[in-house]
Amino acid sequence: MSKQLQQKIPNTDPNGVSVIQNHPHCSSLNPAVAAGLQQIPQLVPVSPRSGGKATPPSKMKKTMMDKDSDEYRQRRERNNLAVKKSRMRSKQKAQDTQQRVNELKEENERLEAKIKLLSKELSVLKDLFLEHAHNLADNVQPPASGGGPGDICNNGANGSH
Amino acid sequence: MSKQLQQKIPNTDPNGVSVIQNHPHCSSLNPAVAAGLQQIPQLVPVSPRSGGKATPPSKMKKTMMDKDSDEYRQRRERNNLAVKKSRMRSKQKAQDTQQRVNELKEENERLEAKIKLLSKELSVLKDLFLEHAHNLADNVQPPASGGGPGDICNNGANGSH
DNA sequence: CTACATTGCGCAATCG
DNA sequence: TCGATTGCGCAATGTA
């Protein structure tokens, strides 16, 4: 899950034994045949079309698509390309998503830290308030000189609650 | 991405025209042959092994692996299954990751909201302090006792930084 | 070496 | 008509 080194020259196989399902000469490759469902030989109606080009799927698809056709080969190649591209993008996206997760996690931690900090600050201030209130209540005459004020300023640090 | 309904009975194809590359009868399917790199016919040395089982890749792989072999077919089937499983898990994982992103995004918003709230609270308290300090200062008692306490307590103020 | 897991790739069906 | 997606099978390779 993170190793990816493979380099092949498209269309060529390292072994020579490629996966290429080209079998252009394998006349009968349809399982239907094997199943005994023979029906149509390799007769191609040329294509009832205006342009003498080549019409792959015009009416009867399920028959055979002449694999020998240049048309066919070309379309296959184009599709293979598209597939490759699509898959690359797909993987890229997955990767990006994963990274997004990491980023969000980081940011989350940062935010939580900040919250912690703010909470502490708040807590300190509140304590200060309470203390002050007590002082006022306890004696009308604050620490004229009795080193009182100092305490009040005892902010954070121990901040204990 | 979000549509996914397809049900097939494994091993069977809706069209009957399957992708199944079974061509058990396509004797020559090796591109090497087409390339003129012929070398070994379809002679299977049976397997120079003790157990008369069936040794798929024992020494000469690049030759042909008789597709007719039951061995082969069985292994293929098992692999196909494994592949399917692996891919399912892969997709599942991707989906989970995506969801994780959403969850994290939500939490992030929550945290930010909280931060905003805390900040506001802090700000209010600080203002209160300042006000109080002013009162003390403006008022009558500046001497020994008064004077500083208020200001002094004004610690970091914005604290940021 | 065997069994399963991953991965790149090509094919065909289908979608847009 | 044509590129983009998707499910599927094959074979090479990785891993246990």
Side-chain angles (χ1 to χ4, degrees):
Chain A
M1 137 214 236
S2 53
K3 247 183 219 169
Q4 203 174 354
L5 55 143
Q6 207 198 16
Q7 266 189 337
K8 273 196 213 175
I9 301 107
N11 261 336
T12 316
D13 210 283
N15 291 328
V17 169
S18 164
V19 190
I20 294 177
Q21 266 76 18
N22 215 346
H23 354 243
H25 305 94
C26 184
S27 32
S28 65
L29 68 156
N30 193 323
V33 175
L37 257 175
Q38 211 176 32
Q39 218 180 23
I40 303 171
Q42 42 248 76
L43 248 178
V44 186
V46 184
S47 76
R49 251 299 194 84
S50 44
K53 281 289 201 74
T55 19
S58 77
K59 223 146 202 189
M60 32 81 93
K61 304 177 172 205
K62 320 295 177 170
T63 55
M64 176 255 221
M65 289 239 215
D66 36 342
K67 297 216 199 290
D68 302 334
S69 164
D70 282 0
E71 247 308 291
Y72 173 75
R73 249 357 273 176
Q74 244 169 30
R75 282 195 308 132
R76 283 305 325 134
E77 210 163 326
R78 285 184 104 68
N79 179 248
N80 289 342
L81 219 70
V83 167
K84 221 170 158 186
K85 191 168 152 193
S86 179
R87 281 175 182 155
M88 238 183 56
R89 286 168 61 181
S90 179
K91 276 183 186 178
Q92 181 68 48
K93 220 183 63 179
Q95 226 170 309
D96 289 356
T97 305
Q98 181 59 54
Q99 181 154 1
R100 187 101 171 79
V101 166
N102 295 337
E103 289 171 4
L104 285 173
K105 274 207 275 191
E106 266 183 48
E107 185 157 356
N108 253 19
E109 278 178 36
R110 265 189 29 231
L111 294 180
E112 296 218 44
K114 189 162 183 178
I115 284 179
K116 206 167 179 177
L117 186 76
L118 288 178
S119 292
K120 195 161 185 177
E121 245 178 284
L122 246 181
S123 153
V124 169
L125 277 189
K126 282 183 180 172
D127 282 355
L128 249 177
F129 258 124
L130 284 184
E131 212 170 320
H132 188 228
H134 284 166
N135 283 347
L136 285 184
D138 286 354
N139 53 352
V140 189
Q141 211 57 326
S145 58
D151 307 288
I152 298 176
C153 283
N154 168 9
N155 76 355
N158 301 334
S160 56
H161 168 353
Chain B
M1 167 178 326
S2 54
K3 239 183 224 172
Q4 202 173 359
L5 56 144
Q6 206 200 14
Q7 267 189 336
K8 272 195 210 174
I9 301 106
N11 262 334
T12 319
D13 211 282
N15 293 327
V17 170
S18 163
V19 191
I20 294 177
Q21 266 78 16
N22 215 345
H23 357 242
H25 305 93
C26 185
S27 32
S28 67
L29 68 156
N30 193 323
V33 174
L37 257 176
Q38 208 176 36
Q39 216 178 25
I40 304 172
Q42 42 248 77
L43 250 178
V44 185
V46 184
S47 74
R49 248 307 191 81
S50 44
K53 279 289 199 77
T55 16
S58 76
K59 221 139 203 197
M60 33 81 94
K61 305 177 171 198
K62 322 297 176 166
T63 55
M64 174 253 217
M65 290 242 218
D66 38 340
K67 296 212 199 291
D68 304 334
S69 165
D70 281 1
E71 248 307 293
Y72 172 75
R73 252 354 274 174
Q74 243 170 31
R75 283 194 310 131
R76 282 308 324 137
E77 211 163 325
R78 283 186 105 67
N79 178 247
N80 289 342
L81 220 69
V83 165
K84 222 171 158 183
K85 192 167 151 194
S86 178
R87 280 174 182 156
M88 238 184 55
R89 286 168 55 182
S90 178
K91 276 183 186 177
Q92 181 68 47
K93 219 182 63 178
Q95 227 169 306
D96 291 354
T97 305
Q98 181 59 55
Q99 180 154 1
R100 187 102 172 78
V101 166
N102 295 337
E103 289 171 4
L104 284 173
K105 274 208 273 189
E106 268 183 46
E107 184 157 356
N108 255 20
E109 281 178 33
R110 266 190 28 233
L111 293 181
E112 295 218 41
K114 188 162 184 177
I115 284 179
K116 206 167 180 178
L117 185 76
L118 288 178
S119 293
K120 192 160 186 176
E121 245 179 280
L122 246 182
S123 150
V124 168
L125 276 190
K126 282 183 178 172
D127 281 356
L128 250 175
F129 260 120
L130 284 184
E131 207 175 320
H132 188 231
H134 283 166
N135 282 347
L136 285 183
D138 288 352
N139 239 341
V140 215
Q141 319 287 21
S145 59
D151 306 292
I152 296 173
C153 281
N154 171 4
N155 73 352
N158 294 337
S160 54
H161 186 79

